[in-house]
Amino acid sequence: MKRLYSLIFILFAVAVCVNAQPQISFDNTSKDLGYILWRNPVSVKYSFTNTGDKPLVISNVTVSCGCMQADWTKEPIAVGAKGEVTAVFDAEAIGKFYKEVGVYCNASNVPLYLDFSGEVTADSKDYAFTHKYSYGAVRTNEDEIVFDDVNKGDKPQFEILVANTSNKAYNPVLMHLPPYLSAKAEPETLGSQKNGKITVTLDTEKLPKLGITRTTVFLSRFMGDKVNSENEIPVSIVLLPDLTGQTDFQKNNPPVAELSSKVLDFHGLKSKQKKTQTIIITNKGNSNLEIMDLQVFTMALNVKLNKSVIKPGESAKMKVTVLANNLSRSKGKPRVLMITNDPKSPKITISINADVIK
């Protein structure tokens, strides 16, 4: 009988080991880069999470042509941890492009493919293709600085491409930086019709709180420039909650957030119309779901939540209202961000698609 029990235990242990597998989940596997400038290399980053129950190891990353170089997180990625695959495209050939990156890892017997596409243009004087946002004579490829899904201790960076379309030299400077942000321009001075970049670095150790932090910085357009709504750049940061201190009961009985929709469409609005839609948030887990933070990133949105703690099996209503007359004055992507204690969905984004009839 003891031998039988021992055999059963061994078979059970083997079965558990066989079923334990890493799993790689990418935030995005396909990216459209739009227009990029000839001979201005661009980095394409793909973030992923190990959503399995065994350490994830990437053994190799291949590229589809000699115009690319790849890098990736080399050390094993623990369960629930994040990693990154980066491809650098040299942009030496003018025209449309489609590139693939092959990822070899212990989560799959076959390579997993990532891709990006766009068009390389040689039009160095009309920066409207590559730098679509205008701040006077200064043009950029971004009108918002976004740090999504960062953890305490991280120091992520965000790049803004800058072009000088004036007939004078220009010094790219970001004004009114908070203590947790720093910026460096390369080169420090842009000649007429020249382009460069500003690298913004976030020090998460200096952030005032977990969850969502919003602020505004200002792009100097000329010597002695003042801050106003015309040169403001909104900043959004999502510092994920630290759930490592959970009890065994909390780990084995987590809350599970389920939304009736993560995309809301408000098309064909009249110029002064206010329109509201409701999202139902249901807790499908076994412990209380906490909405720890909830924010919008534009003056064109209002949001109301009827309760922030949702018991297992219960639901809450979130009303999202679009103010049509504020849409044209809003910068950045209209969206709602929600921070929860659901370990699989600590950050939830509700995208808002809205337009006004002219």
Side-chain angles (χ1 to χ4, degrees), residues 19 27 39-40 61 66 70 87 138 158 174 192 243 257 263 279 306 356:
N19 290 329
D27 293 348
R39 290 184 174 175
N40 276 253
V61 174
V138 181
F158 187 92
L174 287 180
S192 175
L243 302 177
V263 179
I279 292 176
N306 67 338
V356 179

Side-chain angles (χ1 to χ4, degrees), residues 110-137:
V110 296
L112 306 173
Y113 287 98
L114 313 170
D115 66 77
F116 61 91
S117 59
E119 184 171 350
V120 177
T121 177
D123 192 351
S124 60
K125 293 185 178 180
D126 184 3
Y127 284 97
F129 285 122
T130 55
H131 302 63
K132 63 180 181 179
Y133 301 106
S134 175
Y135 297 85

Side-chain angles (χ1 to χ4, degrees), residues 47 53 91 118 126 136 165 196 201 254 277 280 305-306 347:
S47 297
D53 47 16
D126 184 3
T165 66
T201 303
Q277 294 188 39
I280 305 300
L305 183 67
N306 67 338
K347 184 205 73 175

Side-chain angles (χ1 to χ4, degrees), residues 209-214 237-239 241 290-297 303 305 308 318 336-341 346-348:
K209 65 184 181 68
L210 291 169
I212 304 166
T213 297
R214 291 189 298 159
I237 302 165
V238 178
L239 182 61
E290 298 177 21
I291 310 302
M292 305 167 72
D293 204 350
L294 181 68
Q295 291 195 28
V296 298
F297 289 81
V303 61
L305 183 67
S308 59
M318 182 170 63
V336 179
L337 281 187
M338 184 165 63
I339 303 298
T340 80
N341 64 332
K347 184 205 73 175
I348 299 175

Side-chain angles (χ1 to χ4, degrees), residues 264 266 275-279 296 301-304 318-322 336 350 352:
L264 296 181
F266 294 84
K275 191 170 182 179
T276 301
Q277 294 188 39
T278 300
I279 292 176
V296 298
L301 295 180
N302 280 335
V303 61
K304 289 184 179 180
M318 182 170 63
K319 293 184 177 182
V320 180
T321 302
V322 173
V336 179
I350 297 108
I352 310 297

